[in-house]
Amino acid sequence: MAKNIHSMIRVLEEARSVAFYDKAFGLKVADRLDFTDFTLVYLSNAESGFELELTVNKDRTAPYDLGDGYGHLAVSVADLDAEHARFEAEGLAPRKLVTFAPDGKLVGRFFFVADPDGYEIEVLERSGRFT
């Protein structure tokens, strides 16, 4: 059986991205591997063993084109309303709260936020399918 361990995204500015993921999700640097042409930064928190790997290509000066294939990362929180309010207070520009309940059955409550490089992150309440 496979175990998910990390997902990688390319970011333009290491410090800006590390600060965003710390402020938004409490992700701290678990490891940092510096190479000649690039740096790998692994972020995690105590909620999960899953890590987010930030790849910083040192010669990159232009923002990445995310194309039309990328979807989003997802995280879950216990109190969605409180997290939405905290994101607003922190100036993280969360989008509106959504209750997704087609046919009257709750699938999930969520909001989206974009990181500094434009990657979409879905913040889901631990309810419905995502308990």
Side-chain angles (χ1 to χ4, degrees):
M1 181 64 89
K3 176 182 176 184
N4 290 326
I5 57 172
H6 75 253
S7 184
M8 183 278 282
I9 59 174
R10 290 178 180 87
V11 300
L12 193 58
E13 295 177 26
E14 178 181 343
R16 178 180 73 171
S17 293
V18 167
F20 171 83
Y21 283 99
D22 182 18
K23 185 184 288 187
F25 306 110
L27 295 175
K28 308 286 186 196
V29 175
D31 202 0
R32 186 178 186 280
L33 306 174
D34 193 34
F35 302 98
T36 303
D37 297 329
F38 62 95
T39 300
L40 303 177
V41 182
Y42 295 91
L43 305 177
S44 65
N45 66 24
E47 288 288 320
S48 169
F50 189 80
E51 293 182 323
L52 180 60
E53 175 188 322
L54 307 179
T55 296
V56 185
N57 292 306
K58 294 180 179 179
D59 62 349
R60 185 72 180 206
T61 57
Y64 286 96
D65 178 0
L66 302 184
D68 62 0
Y70 173 78
H72 63 270
L73 298 171
V75 301
S76 68
V77 298
D79 187 338
L80 187 70
D81 297 301
E83 281 299 286
H84 191 269
R86 185 181 69 79
F87 273 56
E88 285 182 327
E90 293 283 355
L92 297 173
R95 292 203 284 287
K96 68 178 183 164
L97 287 164
V98 174
T99 299
F100 184 60
D103 301 325
K105 181 177 179 185
L106 178 66
V107 175
R109 290 186 67 233
F110 60 89
F111 66 86
F112 276 89
V113 65
D115 84 351
D117 290 278
Y119 291 103
E120 297 289 334
I121 302 136
E122 182 179 19
V123 180
L124 286 149
E125 181 176 72
R126 292 183 189 139
S127 63
R129 183 179 185 281
F130 307 102
T131 300

